[in-house]
Structure formats: C-alpha cells, structure tokens
C-alpha cells in the first residue's frame, strides 16, 4: 500500500545536507516507495472550515549538489494526504502554534499528523519533562527573582534557561556568588513577567548532553553525546558541541523506557530525550534531530524504522 506523505518544514534549500534528520526521513519515505510532497507553514490555510495546502511533489536525492527537486505547486485538500509530518524547526512561536492549530483540522479529518499536533501544543519541551519529576535533577519554574535566587542559594551551582529556547540559546550557569544574577534573571524573565526554568547543575555534562531518540515508543539502541567544547557549559551542537554516538547506558535505556509509553499514548512517535548523567533535562517533540550522526557512526537506519512505525498504523498485520 503506497501512502501519500506531506512534510511541513522550513525552506528546503536552507537545510544542512550532511546533518538534516528530515532529509533522512525523505530518503526513507522514498525507499519504502511512498509518495512525497513538501510545503512550508505559510502554505497551510483554511477554506470554509477545511484545511487546504499549497503543496509541491518532492523528490529527494543523495547528492549534496542536488539533493531535492520540487514539482509544480498546487492547492489540495489536506485529506489528499495519508500522513503529514510536522518537521518545522523551533522556535515555538505564534507562527508555529498557528500551524499546529491548522494541522488539527487535518487530524480531525482523518489524516495521520505526526507528531500529534494537539500534544505538541500541550507538551512544552521543558515543562513536559517536569511531569517526570522523579527522573529530573532538582528543578523549579518561576518568573519571580526571589524564588530563583533562593533556589540558587540552596544548590549553589544552577542552570537557568528560557522555556522556549533551542540549540542552547539563552542558557546561563549561575552560582550563589555570581555577580550578574540580577541582570541575568531580569533579562530572562523580562523583569519578572515570563517564567523560566532553573535546574541544579549536573557535572556529568562533561561526558555529554545525550540525545536519546524514541521511535514509535521504543528507544533507539544508540544515542548522540553532544560534548561541550573547552570552557563551554552547553553541549548543543548549535553551540559548538561535538557529537559522538554511543550505545545507550542501562540508565539511559531505563529513563527512555519509563517515558516511552506515555509518549506513544499521546501520538508522539518521534521524540528526543535530553539526558545528562542520570537525569532527563528536556523532552523534545517538535522537530528532534541527530538521526544522521547516529546512522553515520553506527550504520543504523533510524528514519526507515520511523516510516515503518507509521506504516504499521495503516496496515498492522
């Protein structure tokens, strides 16, 4: 059975050929002989209560000099597609949120939208992790300086970060004697009008901020350790971290298996846990990455596994 896939994403010409996980998904969709189409979030629109999409047929190639080709743009009803993959990168701003609202119309019309747009809205990547408080380092969320300062005094070495950041942006490490606590908190909380997260610092960051992928409710056997460069607290690749793939530790597998059933129940089929040491720090549900690095270093085919999970929704036997 051939399925008709639509990928909603950023401008395709801007992606990184060597690292882009969505490109791996395109290759996998074609490998499984499904139809492939493309659009951006500004191509989603409503007509008399039905989601319409200005989409283009897409062919993806394993050629860095020409890795895609687009066909003619046409307007079709969202129900023309069997599967819509929402792969727009953060930031999770109002444009992103409106796109999720629109994709709910496709979901209600019977189209399989992955990840589920309702639960992508409901599962802020930092706040959602706090539902598994027992798996986290001590954490608070507040916009009030008094509460955050008390937390810093209690734990002495603390990470503070915005709730809507990505790629390590806006992350600061503060200690009880840091000279810029006030100005840092004023900036991040926008003078006590915006809640932020504070977490006890985990020294194991030196061994990497591990990205553990969960595909269809099952953890991938390998993770990507994003190891900070010298003098840097953040391991994010966007912040200069070095990506080293490695087998999951027993603890990392345990964490993933504790969270996975809830993710599957929510229709979150492709998820990236961020794990430092023994703790989950974030649960990424918008557009998780790191497929390519793990595949390149261990010979896996994570995107094909993901497409097969989607196939099983349509013909499970």
């Amino acid at each position: 059975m051939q399925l008709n896939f639509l990928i909603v994403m950023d401008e395709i010409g801007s992606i990184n050929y060597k690292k882009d996980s969505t490109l791996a998904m395109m290759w996998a969709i074609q490998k499984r002989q499904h139809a492939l189409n493309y659009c951006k979030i500004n191509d989603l629109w409503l007509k008399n209560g039905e989601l319409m999409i200005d989409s283009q047929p897409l062919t993806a190639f394993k050629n860095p000099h020409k890795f895609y080709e687009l066909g003619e743009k046409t307007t079709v009803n969202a129900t023309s597609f069997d599967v819509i993959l929402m792969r727009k990168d953060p930031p999770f701003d109002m444009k992103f949120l409106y796109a999720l609202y629109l994709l709910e119309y496709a979901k209600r019309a019977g189209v399989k939208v992955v990840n589920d747009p309702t639960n992508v809205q409901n599962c802020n990547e930092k706040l959602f992790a706090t539902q598994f408080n027992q798996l986290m380092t001590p954490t608070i969320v507040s916009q009030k300086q008094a509460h955050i300062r008390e937390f810093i005094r209690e734990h002495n070495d603390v990470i503070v970060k915005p709730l809507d950041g990505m790629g390590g942006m806006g992350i600061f490490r503060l200690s009880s004697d840091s000279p810029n606590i006030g100005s840092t908190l004023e900036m991040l909380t926008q003078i006590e009008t915006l809640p932020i997260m504070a977490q006890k610092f985990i020294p194991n960051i030196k061994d990497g901020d591990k990205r553990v992928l969960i595909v269809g409710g099952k953890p991938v056997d390998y993770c990507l350790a994003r190891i900070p460069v010298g003098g840097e607290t953040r391991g994010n690749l966007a912040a200069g971290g070095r990506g080293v793939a490695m087998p999951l530790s027993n603890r990392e597998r345990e964490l993933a298996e504790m969270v996975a059933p809830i993710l599957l129940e929510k229709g979150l089929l492709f998820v990236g846990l961020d794990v430092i040491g023994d703790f989950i720090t974030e649960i990424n549900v918008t557009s998780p990455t790191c497929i390519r690095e793990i595949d390149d270093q261990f010979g896996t085919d994570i995107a094909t596994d993901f497409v097969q999970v989607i196939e099983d929704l349509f013909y499970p036997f």
Side-chain angles (χ1 to χ4, degrees), residues 218-249:
K218 296 180 180 179
V220 173
D221 289 333
Y222 306 94
C223 66
L224 188 74
R226 297 161 296 174
I227 300 171
V229 296
E232 177 61 76
T233 298
R234 303 166 298 170
N236 309 75
L237 300 183
R242 178 169 56 94
V244 179
M246 56 186 64
L248 293 188
S249 69

Side-chain angles (χ1 to χ4, degrees), residues 42-261:
N42 61 359
D43 293 315
L44 307 174
W45 58 287
L46 287 182
K47 181 179 180 181
N48 301 324
E50 295 186 345
L51 180 62
M52 309 299 292
I53 302 175
D54 301 333
S55 67
Q56 295 172 268
L58 169 63
T59 305
F61 307 105
K62 292 187 176 181
N63 179 348
H65 305 293
K66 182 184 179 183
F67 60 87
Y68 72 95
E69 183 174 278
L70 294 172
E72 182 180 354
K73 182 176 286 191
T74 59
T75 299
V76 298
N77 194 294
T79 54
S80 300
F81 304 105
D82 300 297
V83 184
I84 298 177
L85 299 184
M86 176 50 160
R87 291 290 301 175
K88 170 74 175 71
D89 284 341
F92 193 102
D93 54 14
M94 289 308 300
K95 294 176 184 177
F96 198 112
L97 185 59
Y98 289 143
L100 293 174
Y101 288 155
L102 292 175
L103 288 172
E104 286 191 327
Y105 286 80
K107 174 187 169 183
R108 289 194 290 270
V111 181
K112 177 57 66 177
V113 182
V114 182
N115 283 324
D116 180 272
T118 306
N119 282 309
V120 172
Q121 294 171 51
N122 292 340
C123 298
N124 172 277
E125 298 186 327
K126 295 177 178 62
L127 283 175
F128 181 38
T130 65
Q131 295 187 27
F132 305 92
N133 181 65
Q134 74 279 14
L135 308 180
M136 299 184 72
T137 187
T139 299
I140 66 166
V141 175
S142 178
Q143 62 195 34
K144 293 185 177 180
Q145 278 215 30
H147 296 322
I148 302 168
R149 285 176 176 272
E150 181 181 358
F151 186 81
I152 294 170
R153 284 193 296 271
E154 178 182 359
H155 296 288
N156 187 44
D157 200 353
V158 168
I159 293 292
V160 291
K161 55 189 175 182
L163 296 178
D164 61 351
M166 60 169 288
M169 291 187 297
I171 294 178
F172 293 87
R173 182 179 177 183
L174 299 174
S175 60
S176 54
D177 60 354
S178 293
N180 295 314
I181 292 177
S183 57
T184 301
L185 298 184
E186 285 174 5
M187 178 185 67
L188 290 178
T189 67
Q190 297 181 19
I191 312 182
E192 297 192 320
T193 63
L194 187 70
I196 64 170
M197 176 172 281
Q199 295 181 307
K200 181 180 178 181
F201 177 72
I202 307 169
N204 305 72
I205 184 62
K206 70 181 187 303
D207 300 318
D209 181 351
K210 309 284 186 68
R211 169 57 55 85
V212 178
L213 295 176
I214 300 178
V215 180
K218 296 180 180 179
V220 173
D221 289 333
Y222 306 94
C223 66
L224 188 74
R226 297 161 296 174
I227 300 171
V229 296
E232 177 61 76
T233 298
R234 303 166 298 170
N236 309 75
L237 300 183
R242 178 169 56 94
V244 179
M246 56 186 64
L248 293 188
S249 69
N250 290 338
R251 176 57 173 170
E252 288 154 3
R253 186 176 297 278
E254 178 185 29
L255 292 171
E257 289 178 345
M258 292 176 74
V259 173

